[in-house]
Amino acid sequence: MEKGFRAFIVNKEGEEFSAGIKEVHLNDLPEGEVTIRVAYSSVNYKDGLASIPNGKIVRSYPFIPGIDLAGTIVNSKDSRYHEGDEVIVTSYELGVSHFGGFSEYARVPADWIVPLPEGLTSKEAMIYGTAGFTAALSIDRLEKNGLRPDLGDVLVTGATGGVGSMAVAMLANKGYNVVASTGKESEHSFLRDLGAKEILSRSEILGDKILALGKQRWAAAVDPVGGKTLAAIASQLNYQGAVAVSGLTGGGEVPTTVYPYILRGVSILGVDSVYCPMETRKELWNRMATDLKPDHLLNTIGHEITLDELPKALSSILEGKSKGRVVVKL
């Protein structure tokens, strides 16, 4: 294919930084066994950081960000995959050191590919994206730790963000009593639409001070916030409860004590979506197409934009003005 195609490119030369839509060619793409016609990508906080000069995500320039993509294979040098196969690619080095999904075509290593499960469209897969996968991985880890709907309330922090909103919807769909925590009073109706039974402010989680052992409130928690919020959650978990932590928007320092862990047997479960084993990755994407799939995935959580609208969406997510999931149609 000699004709060019469109991509969102960031570049930095000395002190000069630029970001915008440009025409590129297949020869500009990095090495990889599989070439994909991208149908959809999605907007994540990491993508927002990649779009600014000092975001500390992009390792070399010029670069195409986008840590998620879904589309159709147009060329494959790997016998496992064939032209016409619909696939998903998230995580690994995509959109970090390897050209990502904000492009009409992408070339990736075959080992990064997940076949699109039956029951999911490419658009639905990107409404999920890395955020949805992280939420699913968090829930999966909690359930393997013993969580069941009858054990009590499950707290979700950062509930209007990508991971949080997906976790609220998935948990509610599974019959859990979900308590959502957010600092955005304007989004309470959005969270109730997702299935949250109760909504608390950030201050209601933190309280006046973080106690070594607080009142037992939560059977479990999904926490993409970290920092003081994680410490507060740990002190409020029920006996043998657990919190799945996947982010640090609240900071990397956790002012906790040993008491919740040795007196109540609670657990902190670390969630990493980037290098999650492929066997687990495929298993979870199949769950996201079946028992974890919210009924309102398309209508409530996902918002579609064009590539031309991407710069504004990247600014919004950095400013904390985004809610749910934004998908980019390529």
Side-chain angles (χ1 to χ4, degrees):
M1 188 185 84
E2 296 182 4
K3 183 181 177 182
F5 54 91
R6 303 174 79 223
F8 176 79
I9 295 182
V10 294
N11 197 14
K12 191 175 185 181
E13 296 180 3
E15 297 301 313
E16 295 295 318
F17 181 84
S18 63
I21 314 299
K22 293 186 178 180
E23 182 176 288
V24 293
H25 298 81
L26 284 181
N27 288 340
D28 298 320
L29 298 178
E31 291 298 312
E33 296 83 30
V34 180
T35 304
I36 300 166
R37 173 59 175 98
V38 181
Y40 290 93
S41 184
S42 68
V43 179
N44 301 275
Y45 191 77
K46 189 180 283 188
D47 301 321
L49 292 175
S51 72
I52 58 176
N54 299 310
K56 299 181 180 179
I57 295 295
V58 179
R59 299 172 188 173
S60 63
Y61 296 92
F63 191 72
I64 300 175
I67 63 171
D68 298 332
L69 67 86
T72 305
I73 292 175
V74 294
N75 183 270
S76 175
K77 298 176 182 177
D78 188 289
S79 60
R80 292 172 292 176
Y81 303 106
H82 306 91
E83 182 179 344
D85 288 352
E86 292 185 280
V87 296
I88 303 164
V89 186
T90 67
S91 310
Y92 302 103
E93 297 301 314
L94 189 74
V96 177
S97 63
H98 188 99
F99 281 11
F102 295 155
S103 173
E104 292 177 343
Y105 286 84
R107 186 181 293 128
V108 300
D111 286 343
W112 294 2
I113 288 175
V114 173
L116 183 71
E118 185 177 343
L120 274 188
T121 65
S122 291
K123 182 176 179 179
E124 289 173 330
M126 288 297 95
I127 292 174
Y128 279 133
T130 291
F133 180 76
T134 302
L137 186 55
S138 300
I139 295 167
D140 188 68
R141 291 216 63 194
L142 289 170
E143 289 182 334
K144 286 174 178 172
N145 193 67
L147 180 64
R148 304 187 311 269
D150 63 294
L151 292 181
D153 293 346
V154 179
L155 175 69
V156 177
T157 63
T160 61
V163 175
S165 61
M166 292 303 317
V168 170
M170 289 177 179
L171 286 163
N173 191 63
K174 290 278 290 179
Y176 288 94
N177 196 73
V178 182
V179 178
S181 170
T182 181
K184 300 177 181 177
E185 291 186 15
S186 61
E187 302 302 341
H188 285 202
S189 61
F190 168 66
L191 292 172
R192 293 195 188 281
D193 287 344
L194 295 184
K197 293 293 193 295
E198 186 180 354
I199 301 168
L200 301 178
S201 67
R202 293 169 184 162
S203 61
E204 288 177 285
I205 304 300
L206 291 172
D208 295 330
K209 62 178 291 188
I210 299 171
L211 303 174
L213 286 173
K215 180 182 177 182
Q216 296 182 48
R217 303 173 71 183
W218 321 115
V222 174
D223 179 37
V225 175
K228 292 181 179 179
T229 298
L230 177 58
I233 292 169
S235 75
Q236 297 166 14
L237 286 169
N238 294 351
Y239 187 79
Q240 292 193 335
V243 51
V245 60
S246 61
L248 43 67
T249 58
E253 299 293 323
V254 184
T256 188
T257 71
V258 74
Y259 295 111
Y261 316 106
I262 63 172
L263 296 182
R264 290 182 181 164
V266 307
S267 301
I268 293 180
L269 307 176
V271 175
D272 168 55
S273 64
V274 178
Y275 295 110
C276 175
M278 182 56 73
E279 182 179 352
T280 302
R281 191 177 294 277
K282 289 179 178 178
E283 174 189 327
L284 283 176
W285 275 105
N286 283 322
R287 286 198 67 187
M288 291 156 69
T290 52
D291 70 296
L292 286 178
K293 185 179 181 182
D295 295 333
H296 39 49
L297 183 63
L298 279 169
N299 297 329
T300 305
I301 306 173
H303 169 62
E304 182 179 313
I305 64 170
T306 65
L307 190 61
D308 293 304
E309 295 172 297
L310 176 60
K312 183 178 179 182
L314 291 168
S315 296
S316 291
I317 201 166
L318 287 175
E319 293 166 6
K321 296 178 180 178
S322 185
K323 72 173 182 179
R325 296 285 293 148
V326 178
V327 293
V328 186
K329 183 175 174 62
L330 277 305

